[in-house]
Amino acid sequence: MRGAFVTGTDTGVGKTVVAAALVAALSARGLRVAPVKPVVTGLDEPDPERPLDHVLLGAAAGVPPERVTPLTFGPALSPHLAAELSGAAVEPAALVAAARAAAEGADVVIGEGAGGLLVPITRGYLIRDYALDLGLPLIVAARPGLGTINHTLLTIESARAAGLRVLGVVLTPWPAEPDAMQRSNRETIAALGEVEVATLRRAGVEVADLAGAGAALPLERWGLT
Ligand SMILES: Nc1ncnc2c1ncn2[C@@H]1O[C@H](COP(=O)(O)OP(=O)(O)OP(=O)(O)O)[C@@H](O)[C@H]1O
Ligand SMILES: [Mg+2]
C-alpha cells in the first residue's frame, strides 16, 4: 500500500487535522484516497465544533465514514477498555482486512491511529502493530510547544525500534509567527530525531481549508503523490 500512517504524541494532538489535511490535499490533486482508522471511541460525547474523526476523514476523501472505520464505541476511552466494557470481541485481523478492503482501488492510503503509538486496540495488539500490519510509514503529529521534544523523540524511538519508517513529524497547529521556543523545538527534534519536521497551519473543518493547509506539506517527498 502506498501512503502514510498518522500517529501522534498523545490523544488530542492534531492527528485528525493532519490526516484530513493530507487526504484533502491529495484528493484535490485528483488522487483516489482511502482514509482508514481502526477504531473511533467517544461517539457518546461528540464535540459540537468538530465532526467525529471518521466523518471528517470520509468527507475529505468523498467516501462514507463506515468505509473509514469498521469499529466504533460510545465512551471516550482507550479502544481496548471501550471494547472490554461493551463486551465486544475485537479481532485485529478483521481491522486490517477492513483497511485493505477500503484501500482497494485507491491510489494512496492515509491511516490515523487512536491516541498515541502504544495505545492498545486489544491487550495484545497495539496501534503500532496495526501500522506495521498495514505496512505504512509513519507521520508523527506533535504539538509545537513545551514538552514536545520528549514526546516526539519517544514516539520516533518506539516506532524505529519496531521497524517502522518515520517519514516525518508535523508540528500542529503552527502559528504564523512562531516564537523562539517553537522554532527551537522544530530544529531540535529534526537534529536529535534525525527526521524531517514539517508544520501545519491552523485549519478549519471545511475540506477546502484542509486541502489548502495540506498542500504545504511535503507530499511529493513523502511519496504520497
Ligand atoms: N492545524 C490545526 N488546525 C486547527 N486546529 C488544530 C490544528 N492542530 C491541532 N488542532 C487542535 O487540536 C485539537 C485536536 O485535534 P485532533 O482532533 O486532530 O486530535 P487527534 O490527535 O486526532 O485526537 P484523537 O486522539 O481524539 O484522535 C482540535 O480541537 C484542534 O483545535
Ligand atoms: Mg483523531
Side-chain angles (χ1 to χ4, degrees):
M1 276 194 251
R2 175 150 67 98
F5 186 83
V6 180
T7 188
T9 52
D10 196 359
T11 185
V13 83
K15 292 183 300 295
T16 303
V17 182
V18 170
L22 290 167
V23 170
L26 294 167
S27 297
R29 290 184 173 212
L31 293 168
R32 288 166 303 176
V33 188
V36 297
K37 168 150 179 152
V39 48
V40 174
T41 64
L43 270 68
D44 289 348
E45 301 163 40
D47 178 344
E49 308 280 309
R50 304 190 70 80
L52 289 160
D53 288 8
H54 57 320
V55 174
L56 184 61
L57 293 169
V63 303
E66 311 80 61
R67 201 170 166 81
V68 178
T69 298
L71 188 63
T72 60
F73 294 106
L77 297 170
S78 172
H80 80 289
L81 182 57
E84 285 173 15
L85 293 178
S86 79
V90 173
E91 193 45 70
L95 301 179
V96 175
R100 292 198 188 287
E104 239 166 66
D107 300 309
V108 57
V109 180
I110 299 295
E112 183 194 343
L117 197 58
L118 298 189
V119 159
I121 298 177
T122 71
R123 283 177 190 266
Y125 189 77
L126 312 181
I127 288 291
R128 187 170 69 174
D129 299 314
Y130 176 82
L132 279 165
D133 282 346
L134 294 194
L136 295 173
L138 289 193
I139 292 172
V140 181
R143 298 185 178 93
L146 193 63
T148 201
I149 296 174
N150 177 57
H151 292 152
T152 305
L153 295 179
L154 283 170
T155 300
I156 291 171
E157 191 168 297
S158 165
R160 288 179 179 155
L164 283 164
R165 191 157 66 89
V166 180
L167 290 175
V169 171
V170 178
L171 297 181
T172 183
W174 189 250
E177 293 181 11
D179 63 27
M181 178 189 60
Q182 292 164 331
R183 291 197 308 272
S184 172
N185 285 345
R186 183 179 186 180
E187 288 160 23
T188 306
I189 291 167
L192 299 187
E194 297 177 5
V195 70
E196 174 167 9
V197 183
T199 61
L200 187 71
R201 70 157 165 83
R202 189 165 280 284
V205 294
E206 309 77 22
V207 174
D209 195 21
L210 288 164
L217 291 170
L219 304 174
E220 278 90 20
R221 203 157 52 247
W222 287 349
L224 302 176
T225 53

